Amino acid sequence: MIISSTLKATTVLYFTTAAAYDLAIATDSKSDIKEIYESLSELHYDLKDYKKAYEFHLQYSELQEDIFSIDQFDKLREMEAKYPISKSKEQIESITDSNKKLKK
């Protein structure tokens, strides 16, 4: 039986993606998992399996939102950490200036 080159390529891509998925899960790499869901969505779309393409796209979208939320939360924490430091510096400068004025 002759297997078309497209089917062979699709099979190789699918199993390569499955191996990458296992590795991404093992390393808890959300960005890699997201990209794999996107690839699987595109693969199933090309295979005209629209239901699976849609399911993988939903998983991709959900993970994209989670990653975005995590990134935004990290940025917020970073800003909160920087703000007290700059505020403290301003307070120290103000106290130092007040002390200098009092010494005069």
Side-chain angles (χ1 to χ4, degrees):
M1 173 154 83
I2 299 174
I3 300 176
S4 74
S5 61
T6 303
L7 182 58
K8 284 182 186 177
T10 302
T11 303
V12 169
L13 178 61
Y14 190 82
F15 284 109
T16 302
T17 303
Y21 178 77
D22 290 342
L23 181 60
I25 290 291
T27 59
D28 195 32
S29 176
K30 293 187 185 317
S31 61
D32 288 340
I33 296 168
K34 175 191 67 129
E35 290 178 22
I36 291 166
Y37 285 151
E38 183 179 32
S39 295
L40 287 170
S41 176
E42 292 169 358
L43 172 68
H44 285 284
Y45 181 84
D46 291 343
L47 295 172
K48 299 188 183 352
D49 185 353
Y50 302 116
K51 183 178 179 183
K52 279 209 181 233
Y54 178 70
E55 289 170 4
F56 280 116
H57 183 75
L58 288 177
Q59 289 176 302
Y60 161 79
S61 296
E62 184 177 316
L63 199 48
Q64 175 67 22
E65 288 176 17
D66 289 347
I67 291 170
F68 179 77
S69 294
I70 290 168
D71 288 344
Q72 293 303 313
F73 182 73
D74 289 345
K75 287 178 184 176
L76 179 60
R77 279 195 319 206
E78 183 180 322
M79 289 173 60
E80 286 174 341
K82 286 180 181 179
Y83 179 74
I85 291 170
S86 65
K87 190 70 170 173
S88 295
K89 285 180 183 177
E90 290 173 12
Q91 289 174 341
I92 290 169
E93 288 174 7
S94 175
I95 292 169
T96 304
D97 289 344
S98 295
N99 286 342
K100 286 179 183 176
K101 289 178 183 176
L102 289 174
K103 288 182 181 179
K104 288 184 180 181

